[in-house]
């Protein structure tokens, strides 16, 4: 009986043991199943982090390539300047180095693309900017980078680095272009610019429009011929031809102007070329935007319609005037802030505010639907005319050097990228007929701009634009950063890709050939060099009383503006100019006294007004400054009366050659006849 009890207890123990084992196994299975997703997630995070790290390293390597390109360019520039080589400018060097690096990246380095699966069964009507992909219940977001050709779909060994070094076109417009355009306006030599203002405006506005339509019509004829002979594989409309004419009408003679500045070429020729290149960049940008905005009613959007053309013209005027007003307004606001605050006591903050206000002008204009190029250009001119006089001496030097440095780096970066893009851009379309037609059209468009307008301008100019100047301006019609930036901004269609490829070749040719031949062209045209731009007309003195005899042009419209600016705007916006009590009407007496007292306090630390000698006025004029009256006539002689000058005779302190007086912290330029540009007084100025 006891044996039976023992066996029963043994069986029960075995059953309990098996039950415990089954429960333990079940728990283990559940735990493993629960841990498996966590392990998969951890492995996925590790893979993602590795990919992010590899992408970061690749981006750093790409930026390092451009930094090394700029470094090599700078060292070569030093060598060229040391050896006095002028046949190639630094922009041409940057393009050559970019070409060499592009060849290496294109044919020497191959980085496999990470493509594990390609699905070609997804059909959509358009190209979405963002795609959400459902992969096994997880959603991933993909951003559109651009179209690739059909033969690249199966080429999984394609060079991924070529895509990495291709920058977003917005980088050029928002980062690289603003300092270039602002520096052009900020460093403008206003005396020579305004002396030739009428001619510069004619070349920049009317000449750019003429060049655009001449190139557009010639290219439309070329495209029509290409269609007849079967050389065109896609759509190319007349509006595309006009757009091409607009973007290649933007001249950038940076190479020529650098050589002009080094050789000290005639100041008027320099002013004509520089002023035209500065303004026609802005005109080309607005003109290309207006052409894109041309949209007739109906199904066919490429037919001619008068109302659509008038609408585009209205858009051109609206965008240009709005951008101009925005740029000037930003400059005026900055001038008021720097004048009526103690910001100049903190030079670092003053320079930082000046920099940010100037750069934000570009972004503000683009955000408002205007053109940032126009806005930042006129912001630079306004800042140089008003705000510069309110800055402390340290900030004046800092701002000049800062924007000069940014302009140099951005300019060379763009030209390096041009050379790189010739081999790294993956959608080039090189058509020989289109390229030859483009070169002929660019040449004829430049000729239609320079020669007819010069003939018409010479009818009203006293200082004629000589024929050798016209030939030099024709030769100096280089294309550069603005043309490249406008062409690369949109390369989505067949026509835009062909235009971009052709534009690159036009830029290369003009920079290398025309820019490199500047010195030879100056010698061939017998244009004088070694001319001091501030004393470009020699002074003929026989018995001490004769004056300069060479007639200088002075724009009559600017005379009117100068008087208003000198009497009202400068006293309000800067620490220079006459006191407002002498210029404002009597009804504004309290406001004038308030502002004048503020100005007198600030004038204890006088700032030199570099733009005070912009204009040569005609006729008699009396300037009354409080109890001082200074009178001049057309001969340049001047007299003064008042208690301040009691006891002062016409000695060394105030001679017939003195045309600049400084009174109460104000630099006053006495008007002279049109035959005498202002010149530096060898005697000390009289300070009150």
């Amino acid at each position: 009986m006891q044996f039976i009890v023992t066996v029963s207890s043994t069986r029960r123990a075995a059953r309990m043991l098996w039950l415990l084992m089954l429960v333990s196994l079940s728990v283990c299975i559940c735990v493993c199943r629960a841990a498996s997703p966590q392990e998969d997630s951890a492995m996925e995070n590790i893979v993602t982090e590795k990919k992010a790290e590899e992408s970061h390293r690749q981006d750093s390597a790409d930026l390092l390539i451009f930094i090394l390109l700029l470094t090599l360019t700078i060292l070569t520039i030093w060598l060229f300047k040391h050896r006095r080589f002028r046949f190639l400018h630094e922009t041409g060097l940057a393009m050559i180095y970019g070409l060499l690096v592009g060849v290496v990246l294109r044919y020497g380095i191959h980085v496999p693309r990470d493509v594990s699966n390609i699905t070609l069964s997804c059909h959509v009507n358009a190209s979405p900017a963002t795609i959400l992909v459902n992969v096994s219940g997880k959603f991933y977001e993909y951003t559109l980078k651009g179209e690739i050709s059909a033969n690249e779909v199966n080429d999984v060994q394609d060079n991924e680095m070529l895509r990495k070094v291709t920058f977003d076109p917005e980088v050029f417009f928002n980062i690289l272009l603003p300092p270039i355009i602002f520096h052009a306006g900020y460093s403008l030599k206003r005396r020579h610019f305004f002396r030739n203002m009428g001619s510069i405006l004619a070349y920049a506005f009317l000449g750019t429009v003429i060049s655009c339509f001449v190139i557009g019509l010639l290219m439309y004829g070329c495209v029509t011929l290409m269609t007849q002979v079967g050389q065109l594989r896609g759509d190319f409309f007349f509006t595309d031809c006009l757009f091409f004419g607009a973007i290649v009408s933007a001249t950038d003679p940076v190479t020529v102007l650098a050589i002009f500045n080094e050789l000290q070429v005639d100041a008027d020729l320099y002013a004509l070329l520089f002023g035209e290149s500065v303004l026609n960049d802005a005109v080309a940008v607005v003109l290309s935007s207006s052409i894109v905005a041309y949209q007739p009613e109906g199904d066919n959007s490429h037919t001619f319609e008068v109302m659509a053309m008038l609408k585009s013209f209205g858009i051109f005027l609206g965008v240009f005037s709005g951008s101009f007003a925005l740029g000037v307004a930003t400059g005026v606001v900055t001038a008021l802030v720097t004048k009526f605050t103690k910001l100049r006591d903190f030079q670092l903050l003053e320079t930082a505010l000046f920099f940010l206000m100037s750069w934000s002008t570009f972004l503000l204009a683009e955000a408002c639907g205007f053109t940032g190029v126009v806005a930042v250009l006129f912001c630079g001119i306004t800042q140089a005319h008003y705000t510069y006089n309110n800055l402390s001496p340290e900030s004046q030097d800092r701002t000049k050097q800062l924007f000069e440095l940014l302009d140099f780096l951005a300019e060379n970066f763009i030209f390096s990228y041009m050379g790189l893009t010739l081999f790294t851009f993956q959608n080039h379309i090189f058509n020989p007929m289109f390229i030859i037609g483009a070169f002929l059209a660019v040449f004829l468009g430049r000729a239609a701009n320079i020669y007819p307008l010069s003939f018409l301008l010479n009818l009203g100019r006293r200082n004629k634009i000589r024929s050798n100047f016209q030939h030099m301006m024709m030769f100096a019609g280089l294309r550069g950063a603005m043309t490249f930036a406008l062409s690369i901004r949109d390369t989505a269609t067949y026509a835009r890709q062909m235009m971009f490829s052709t534009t690159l070749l036009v830029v290369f040719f003009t920079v290398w050939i025309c820019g490199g031949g500047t010195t030879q062209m100056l010698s061939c045209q017998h244009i004088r060099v070694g001319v001091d731009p501030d004393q470009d007309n020699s002074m003929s003195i026989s018995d001490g009383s004769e004056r300069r005899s060479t007639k200088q042009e002075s724009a009559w419209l600017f005379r009117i503006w100068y008087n208003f600016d000198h009497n009202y705007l400068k006293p309000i916006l800067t620490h220079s100019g006459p006191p407002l009590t002498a210029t404002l009407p009597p009804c504004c007496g309290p406001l004038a006294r308030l502002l004048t007292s503020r100005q007198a306090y600030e004038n204890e630390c006088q700032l030199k007004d570099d733009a005070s000698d912009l204009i040569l006025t005609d006729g008699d004029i009396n300037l009354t400054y409080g109890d001082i009256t200074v009178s001049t006539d057309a001969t340049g002689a001047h007299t003064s009366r008042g208690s301040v000058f009691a006891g002062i005779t016409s000695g060394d302190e105030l001679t017939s050659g003195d045309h600049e007086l400084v009174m109460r912290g104000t630099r006053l330029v006495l008007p002279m006849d049109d035959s005498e540009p202002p010149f530096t007084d060898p005697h000390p100025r009289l300070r009150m």
Side-chain angles (χ1 to χ4, degrees):
M1 187 68 181
Q2 180 152 357
F3 176 75
I4 296 175
V5 173
T6 303
V7 172
S8 299
S9 61
T10 303
R11 290 179 178 177
R12 284 197 298 269
R15 289 176 182 175
M16 290 296 296
L17 181 60
W18 279 106
L19 182 60
L20 290 173
M21 292 178 61
L22 290 175
V23 171
S24 301
L25 183 61
S26 301
V27 171
C28 292
I29 293 174
C30 294
V31 170
C32 291
R33 288 181 177 179
S36 179
Q38 296 180 358
E39 293 178 358
D40 294 342
S41 179
M43 291 298 297
E44 184 177 354
N45 291 336
I46 293 175
V47 173
T48 304
E49 290 178 359
K50 287 184 177 180
K51 289 183 178 180
E53 183 180 357
E54 291 177 0
S55 178
H56 171 71
R57 293 174 61 185
Q58 183 65 53
D59 294 338
S60 300
D62 297 334
L63 291 177
L64 179 61
I65 291 174
F66 288 103
I67 297 299
L68 293 178
L69 276 175
L70 292 178
T71 304
L72 185 60
T73 303
I74 291 173
L75 293 177
T76 313
I77 291 171
W78 168 81
L79 180 62
F80 274 43
K81 289 183 179 295
H82 182 67
R83 298 295 183 182
R84 299 183 182 274
F85 293 153
R86 295 192 180 97
F87 60 87
L88 190 60
H89 190 250
E90 58 256 28
T91 54
L93 285 173
M95 293 168 63
I96 292 176
Y97 290 143
L99 283 171
L100 296 177
V101 175
V103 171
V104 174
L105 294 179
R106 181 74 175 184
Y107 303 106
I109 301 176
H110 294 279
V111 180
R113 185 189 300 175
D114 186 12
V115 179
S116 58
N117 187 21
I118 300 177
T119 303
L120 303 177
S121 60
C122 182
H123 299 283
V124 293
N125 296 326
S127 299
T130 303
I131 299 178
L132 295 178
V133 180
N134 185 355
V135 180
S136 302
K138 294 184 179 181
F139 290 90
Y140 298 91
E141 180 181 1
Y142 292 87
T143 303
L144 177 67
K145 288 295 184 181
E147 183 182 1
I148 62 174
S149 59
N151 58 356
E152 292 186 32
V153 174
N154 297 321
D155 188 10
V156 296
Q157 296 296 324
D158 193 17
N159 194 351
E160 183 68 13
M161 184 176 289
L162 298 181
R163 292 187 174 276
K164 287 286 187 178
V165 297
T166 303
F167 283 91
D168 188 343
E170 294 303 316
V171 172
F172 290 99
F173 269 79
N174 295 329
I175 304 298
L176 298 178
L177 274 185
I180 295 175
I181 303 300
F182 182 86
H183 181 262
Y186 195 59
S187 62
L188 184 68
K189 294 182 178 179
R190 285 157 291 166
R191 181 161 67 92
H192 298 288
F193 176 85
F194 287 113
R195 193 168 67 186
N196 298 278
M197 184 174 63
S199 301
I200 291 173
L201 292 178
Y203 287 125
F205 283 86
L206 187 59
T208 303
V209 174
I210 292 175
S211 176
C212 170
F213 280 90
V214 169
I215 294 175
L217 290 172
L218 292 176
M219 293 310 299
Y220 185 68
C222 179
V223 168
T224 304
L225 179 62
M226 291 170 60
T227 305
Q228 297 295 329
V229 299
Q231 292 292 323
L232 202 64
R233 303 194 308 269
D235 295 330
F236 212 114
F237 301 101
F238 180 63
T239 52
D240 296 324
C241 297
L242 283 181
F243 180 82
F244 179 74
I247 63 176
V248 298
S249 296
T251 59
D252 185 18
V254 58
T255 305
V256 177
L257 293 177
I259 297 176
F260 277 14
N261 188 49
E262 184 178 355
L263 297 178
Q264 291 186 329
V265 181
D266 187 277
D268 286 332
L269 177 60
Y270 184 96
L272 288 173
L273 271 177
F274 182 77
E276 180 207 2
S277 65
V278 167
L279 291 181
N280 82 342
D281 282 352
V283 175
V285 172
V286 183
L287 190 61
S288 61
S289 301
S290 303
I291 293 172
V292 173
Y294 176 81
Q295 187 64 40
E297 297 181 358
D299 296 334
N300 192 353
S301 61
H302 297 281
T303 58
F304 176 77
E305 188 175 295
V306 177
M307 292 304 298
M309 184 187 68
L310 294 177
K311 182 180 178 180
S312 296
F313 183 71
I315 292 174
F316 174 85
L317 295 179
V319 170
F320 195 93
S321 59
S323 304
F324 168 79
L326 189 61
V328 173
T330 307
V332 169
V333 169
T334 310
L336 291 173
V337 171
T338 53
K339 178 180 179 180
F340 293 103
T341 63
K342 293 293 185 179
L343 198 62
R344 59 176 298 167
D345 295 337
F346 306 94
Q347 290 81 17
L348 182 61
L349 300 180
E350 185 183 35
T351 307
L353 179 66
F354 183 92
F355 176 80
L356 294 177
M357 289 291 290
S358 303
W359 202 309
S360 63
T361 304
F362 184 93
L363 302 177
L364 179 61
E366 293 290 336
C368 293
F370 297 119
T371 300
V373 172
V374 180
V376 78
L377 170 64
F378 287 99
C379 176
I381 297 176
T382 307
Q383 299 277 43
H385 192 55
Y386 297 116
T387 312
Y388 180 81
N389 295 305
N390 298 335
L391 300 177
S392 61
E394 294 82 0
S395 295
Q396 289 180 351
D397 295 336
R398 281 181 180 177
T399 54
K400 280 186 174 181
Q401 295 170 1
L402 174 62
F403 282 103
E404 184 179 6
L405 175 64
L406 291 177
D407 170 72
F408 174 79
L409 292 178
E411 192 87 45
N412 283 276
F413 185 93
I414 289 180
F415 279 94
S416 298
Y417 188 72
M418 286 184 195
L420 195 70
T421 307
L422 185 63
F423 290 97
T424 59
F425 185 71
Q426 310 213 1
N427 295 315
H428 278 305
I429 299 178
F430 294 102
N431 191 298
M433 289 188 63
F434 189 85
I435 293 172
I436 295 174
F439 274 92
L440 292 176
V442 167
F443 176 81
L444 295 177
R446 182 67 179 172
N449 175 1
I450 298 299
Y451 294 114
L453 286 181
S454 299
F455 173 77
L456 296 177
L457 291 172
N458 282 336
L459 298 178
R461 284 177 61 103
R462 287 169 292 180
N463 186 19
K464 306 297 182 183
I465 304 175
R466 301 192 297 270
S467 59
N468 57 348
F469 280 18
Q470 298 177 32
H471 299 329
M472 192 68 225
M473 294 178 67
M474 171 69 191
F475 184 79
L478 282 66
R479 273 63 179 176
M482 182 59 66
T483 300
F484 174 76
L486 288 174
S487 62
I488 199 176
R489 199 172 191 181
D490 182 8
T491 57
T493 63
Y494 172 82
R496 296 296 177 88
Q497 292 171 2
M498 184 184 295
M499 285 189 285
F500 173 66
S501 303
T502 305
T503 299
L504 276 180
L505 299 182
V506 172
V507 172
F508 291 158
F509 179 84
T510 55
V511 171
W512 287 339
I513 304 302
C514 298
T518 301
T519 306
Q520 292 77 10
M521 188 67 179
L522 288 172
S523 177
C524 179
Q525 295 300 322
H526 304 288
I527 297 176
R528 60 177 183 165
V529 297
V531 181
D532 186 355
D534 294 325
Q535 296 187 11
D536 52 355
N537 293 298
S538 59
M539 190 174 181
S540 59
I541 300 177
S542 58
D543 55 353
S545 60
E546 295 187 7
R547 299 180 174 274
R548 292 175 182 150
S549 58
T550 304
K551 292 289 185 181
Q552 296 292 331
E553 182 183 272
S554 182
W556 64 269
L557 181 62
F558 184 69
R559 292 194 188 112
I560 301 174
W561 157 253
Y562 177 81
N563 291 329
F564 176 77
D565 174 64
H566 183 73
N567 292 331
Y568 301 106
L569 293 183
K570 276 194 174 181
I572 295 175
L573 300 177
T574 69
H575 302 313
S576 62
L580 290 174
T581 53
T583 58
L584 285 179
C587 61
C588 302
L591 176 62
R593 285 191 294 271
L594 176 63
L595 294 177
T596 303
S597 62
R598 175 72 179 179
Q599 180 181 358
Y601 174 77
E602 296 291 347
N603 278 347
E604 294 179 1
C605 300
Q606 179 186 340
L607 301 176
K608 182 180 178 181
D609 181 12
D610 292 337
S612 59
D613 53 350
L614 298 182
I615 188 63
L616 310 177
T617 53
D618 293 323
D620 300 337
I621 186 170
N622 293 329
L623 299 179
T624 302
Y625 285 46
D627 52 356
I628 304 170
T629 301
V630 182
S631 303
T632 63
D633 53 23
T635 64
H638 56 268
T639 60
S640 59
R641 57 182 180 272
S643 59
V644 177
F645 286 93
I648 297 180
T649 60
S650 58
D652 292 339
E653 293 180 331
L654 188 61
T655 62
S656 60
D658 293 336
H659 297 285
E660 296 179 357
L661 299 177
V662 179
M663 301 176 181
R664 298 180 181 176
T666 300
R667 185 167 180 250
L668 167 64
V669 177
L670 300 179
M672 300 170 291
D673 66 317
D674 226 17
S675 64
E676 285 192 331
F679 59 94
T680 305
D681 180 14
H683 303 286
R685 297 190 182 100
L686 178 63
R687 296 187 181 271
M688 303 301 297

